[in-house]
Amino acid sequence: NAGVTQTPKFRILKIGQSMTLQCTQDMNHNYMYWYRQDPGMGLKLIYYSVGAGITDKGEVPNGYNVSRSTTEDFPLRLELAAPSQTSVYFCASSGPGFGSYEQYFGPGTRLTVT
Amino acid sequence: TQLLEQSPQFLSIQEGENLTVYCNSSSVFSSLQWYRQEPGEGPVLLVTVVTGGEVKKLKRLTFQFGDARKDSSLHITAAQPGDTGLYLCAGGNYGGATNKLIFGTGTLLAVQP
């Protein structure tokens, strides 16, 4: 099992550009999450999904969008990138059932917006 | 809004010293987890505690869940350079059926050889 994979690992965007961060898990987990982490800080939840076709906002959703067409994939879309979106983005999954709280994280995508 | 505050925020110690990291909230959690994150990587789960007063040991690491399930502590005995990293606590609740976690503010530990 590869676990949770994320691409790309690094990306530099200009202000106003858009991009999609890819996330795939091969553990058949129902639950998937996107977090952002600013330097030396904890994790803030951007969006989450409880299954294919179902997504909901987390704590800091503004400027982002998600979709969940399959169990495996949970891409995060940034529209009109802003310097405030410079951060490290982590995708995570848990499951397969409710109550399985352990979250498995991908290696992260380091994004810089200039 | 549920919050988890960790203290201290930063800790730099010498190899062989003991330390304790605290994770506090005014909210009750069904479970409390501790993760360790190394530079350039995602967090990795160390332990989950679910019962008030529960104590779990993982080699030199001792984790405790408060009796009221509002706080937790992580104690490291005889710290080693390999313990260096960002330690995150995370609280979960059974209500809502989302498996969501609330992450703490983090404690950055540096163990000098």
Side-chain angles (χ1 to χ4, degrees), chain A residues 9 31 33 35 37 40-43 45 48 50 57-58 90 94-95 97-108 110, chain B residues 9-10 30-31 33 35 37 40-45 86 88 92-101 103-106 108:
Chain A
K9 284 192 70 71
Y31 302 87
Y33 314 86
Y35 295 92
Q37 184 177 38
M41 300 294 287
L43 300 164
L45 183 64
Y48 66 97
V50 301
K57 296 177 181 179
F90 288 99
S94 72
F98 172 62
S100 306
Y101 283 110
E102 177 177 1
Q103 293 191 9
Y104 296 81
F105 286 82
R110 185 175 296 275
Chain B
Q9 195 174 1
F10 303 101
S30 304
S31 70
Q33 299 181 339
Y35 290 79
Q37 183 179 16
E41 298 181 8
V44 175
L45 181 70
L86 179 68
L88 296 163
N93 279 312
Y94 292 132
T98 63
N99 278 6
K100 282 195 297 183
L101 294 173
F103 279 86
T105 48
L108 191 58

Side-chain angles (χ1 to χ4, degrees), chain A residues 63-109:
Chain A
Y64 307 95
N65 232 318
V66 294
S67 60
R68 183 101 181 266
S69 57
T70 66
T71 299
E72 295 78 19
D73 300 306
F74 190 39
L76 177 72
R77 178 84 178 158
L78 278 72
E79 304 281 2
L80 298 175
S84 61
Q85 293 179 304
T86 293
S87 190
V88 182
Y89 291 84
F90 288 99
C91 179
S93 71
S94 72
F98 172 62
S100 306
Y101 283 110
E102 177 177 1
Q103 293 191 9
Y104 296 81
F105 286 82
T109 294

Side-chain angles (χ1 to χ4, degrees), chain B residues 15-93:
Chain B
E15 183 175 0
E17 292 185 17
N18 301 333
L19 67 116
T20 302
V21 177
Y22 299 94
C23 173
N24 295 299
S25 176
S26 58
S27 305
V28 175
F29 290 97
S30 304
S31 70
L32 202 296
Q33 299 181 339
W34 285 91
Y35 290 79
R36 180 168 68 208
Q37 183 179 16
E38 299 189 10
E41 298 181 8
V44 175
L45 181 70
L46 295 173
V47 77
T48 301
V49 285
V50 297
T51 305
E54 183 176 2
V55 177
K56 279 192 175 179
K57 292 194 175 186
L58 185 66
K59 297 183 181 178
R60 295 176 292 99
L61 279 60
T62 301
F63 305 85
Q64 185 163 9
F65 201 10
D67 291 341
R69 291 186 287 126
K70 293 182 179 181
D71 55 85
S72 181
S73 64
L74 156 61
H75 183 79
I76 301 179
T77 303
Q80 298 178 1
D83 296 326
T84 293
L86 179 68
Y87 288 81
L88 296 163
C89 64
N93 279 312

